[in-house]
Amino acid sequence: MEAKVISGGTRFTSLPRSYVRPESERPRLFEVSAFEHVPIIDLGCNDRSRVVRQVGDACRVYGFFQVINHGVSTEAVERMQEVAAEFFRLPEEEKMKLYSENPTKTMRLSTSFNVKKEKVHNWRDYLRLHCHPLEKYMEEWPANPPTFKEFVSNYCREVRCLGYRLEELISESLGLEKDAVRNILGEQGQHMAVNFYPPCPEPELTYGLPGHADPNALTILLQDLHVAGLQVLKYGKWVAVDPHPNAFVINIGDQLQALSNGRYKSVWHRTMVNADKPRMSIASFLCPSDDALISSPVSLLYNGCGPTYRDFTYAEYYKKFWSRNLDQGHCLELFKNRKRKWHESNCNF
Ligand code: OGA
Ligand code: NI
């Protein structure tokens, strides 16, 4: 199905048909819980065991949390937001030079999610970059705006440090050594999606991103401070993650769900679009190295009977993820062990 960027500058007066969801799949905004909020965790708190406990609770119950006093400088954040907004204001012809629908490309501008696979499009354009190692990938990043490479690379470095800190807290919260998660994930890749959701003429008929789980290990999201849109599923109910000043939204991806043997949840989340205002979000994804074997440490196997998922490499997982449609169901389900088999061969009780 044909699609091209929607951030070209023309204001749409009605929603093109290829974006209209069938009635049963539309967002029902009146069902969104107004009383629940994902936890906000202060990483500046001196009581480490308290922070570890908060992180563990959030990962188990929500799969999402926000962090404040996270160590990423205000300057890096503001410059990142500024240059990303400037990028999407570039003329359409300039942006289209970077357009591609091929998910294996390490730098591309695209639209919706997986244009070639999906039946209905999503009201989103996105710039996707590989960011680690910076020396390898920066060269191919957009040369326009001229400050892009400098601002984005500084931001990437700072966000990576935050990611490592979070992985230590997550390790400890699982009762593991603080390096355990990093050791399993190997030399981690880092990707960025700069998501741009233009004003949408009929936001109740479509999504920015439909319900999905992130395929990577950990996502560090910088939300638009002024325009809300992210919602997460908790016990079957959608909860809005309202933007909090100076916070990052953190979520567990499929790899940490697998590594934790299902204790921590890579939960379904989605984004709504807005009739009047554009929304921009900047997602940084930490991913295992391609050859990392995703496998739960033995100490996490005794919550039921053995590993919930079979061991797999990240390369195998990622290929499977992009071969599907985003809201087709949780990709991790395809890696589940057949319980009985393992049970019969390995359990004595
Ligand atoms: C994503 C995502 C949320 C947002 O890029 O995977 O979930 O608020 N983004 O844009
Ligand atoms: Ni996501």
Side-chain angles (χ1 to χ4, degrees):
M1 200 179 285
E2 166 116 0
K4 65 179 192 85
V5 294
I6 48 174
S7 58
T10 12
R11 186 104 181 198
F12 290 78
T13 50
S14 68
L15 188 66
R17 277 193 38 201
S18 59
Y19 291 82
V20 177
R21 294 263 159 188
E23 190 105 28
S24 63
E25 286 177 17
R26 290 179 193 165
R28 286 186 290 277
L29 292 179
F30 54 87
E31 283 179 5
V32 176
S33 170
F35 307 105
E36 283 237 42
H37 302 283
V38 309
I40 296 175
I41 301 178
D42 183 354
L43 294 185
C45 170
N46 287 327
D47 183 349
R48 188 169 176 91
S49 59
R50 182 187 152 96
V51 177
V52 167
R53 211 172 336 109
Q54 288 176 326
V55 166
D57 289 346
C59 293
R60 247 186 320 275
V61 178
Y62 290 89
F64 265 80
F65 52 97
Q66 302 202 54
V67 290
I68 53 172
N69 295 318
H70 41 64
V72 179
S73 68
T74 312
E75 187 189 36
V77 167
E78 286 176 355
R79 287 178 152 186
M80 176 69 232
Q81 284 169 319
E82 198 183 297
V83 80
E86 220 180 304
F87 173 83
F88 277 100
R89 281 196 299 267
L90 291 173
E92 187 170 5
E93 317 81 74
E94 177 77 17
K95 283 185 293 194
M96 284 308 284
K97 291 180 195 158
L98 312 180
Y99 187 81
S100 166
E101 292 172 4
N102 175 359
T104 66
K105 288 195 89 169
T106 52
M107 195 284 296
R108 65 188 177 118
L109 175 72
S110 200
T111 191
S112 188
F113 166 66
N114 200 353
V115 177
K116 295 223 171 79
K117 300 273 172 198
E118 64 205 17
K119 289 201 199 79
V120 184
H121 298 317
N122 307 297
W123 199 253
R124 167 183 85 140
D125 284 346
Y126 62 106
L127 176 66
R128 214 177 148 103
L129 309 171
H130 282 217
C131 315
H132 187 83
L134 279 166
E135 312 73 59
K136 177 170 174 195
Y137 292 113
M138 240 169 95
E139 230 165 272
E140 63 184 21
W141 288 0
N144 207 358
T147 50
F148 188 93
K149 291 183 188 184
E150 181 195 338
F151 289 3
V152 178
S153 60
N154 286 338
Y155 176 83
C156 287
R157 277 192 204 99
E158 293 199 25
V159 162
R160 192 170 180 89
C161 290
L162 170 61
Y164 285 165
R165 262 178 91 192
L166 290 165
E167 286 173 0
E168 289 183 356
L169 292 166
I170 289 169
S171 286
E172 288 179 47
S173 73
L174 287 165
L176 305 170
E177 292 295 320
K178 86 178 186 208
D179 301 336
V181 165
R182 263 182 85 175
N183 287 341
I184 296 171
L185 300 178
E187 179 61 18
Q188 291 175 70
Q190 184 175 349
H191 301 181
M192 176 185 278
V194 184
N195 299 311
F196 185 79
Y197 307 95
C200 176
E202 291 174 279
E204 62 291 346
L205 303 183
T206 194
Y207 293 100
L209 277 171
H212 69 281
D214 291 349
N216 51 295
L218 191 71
T219 303
I220 301 173
L221 180 81
L222 181 59
Q223 278 216 81
D224 192 307
L225 198 52
H226 306 290
V227 188
L230 175 64
Q231 298 175 353
V232 309
L233 196 61
K234 186 196 173 212
Y235 302 142
K237 240 189 167 333
W238 290 102
V239 175
V241 186
D242 290 328
H244 187 282
N246 305 315
F248 282 100
V249 180
I250 310 299
N251 68 282
I252 294 294
D254 293 351
Q255 308 309 313
L256 287 182
Q257 176 167 336
L259 187 157
S260 69
N261 201 23
R263 280 174 172 74
Y264 289 177
K265 303 284 183 263
S266 169
V267 304
W268 224 229
H269 53 286
R270 65 184 190 180
T271 59
M272 299 293 119
V273 284
N274 190 285
D276 315 306
K277 297 179 198 144
R279 174 172 182 267
M280 198 176 66
S281 72
I282 297 155
S284 296
F285 305 107
L286 285 178
C287 337
S289 69
D290 273 353
D291 58 357
L293 189 69
I294 305 303
S295 174
S296 292
V298 176
S299 65
L300 301 180
L301 298 185
Y302 297 109
N303 58 342
C305 195
T308 308
Y309 306 101
R310 71 170 172 85
D311 293 353
F312 53 85
T313 63
Y314 186 58
E316 184 189 354
Y317 194 89
Y318 203 62
K319 194 161 163 228
K320 178 66 91 191
F321 178 82
W322 279 99
S323 72
R324 305 165 83 237
N325 189 2
L326 191 58
D327 49 357
Q328 203 174 335
H330 206 150
C331 188
L332 199 52
E333 287 293 307
L334 305 175
F335 292 80
K336 254 192 166 153
N337 269 322
R338 271 172 290 156
K339 265 262 149 57
R340 283 182 63 86
K341 254 196 162 156
W342 202 91
H343 186 92
E344 281 157 8
S345 54
N346 293 283
C347 283
N348 298 320
F349 49 90

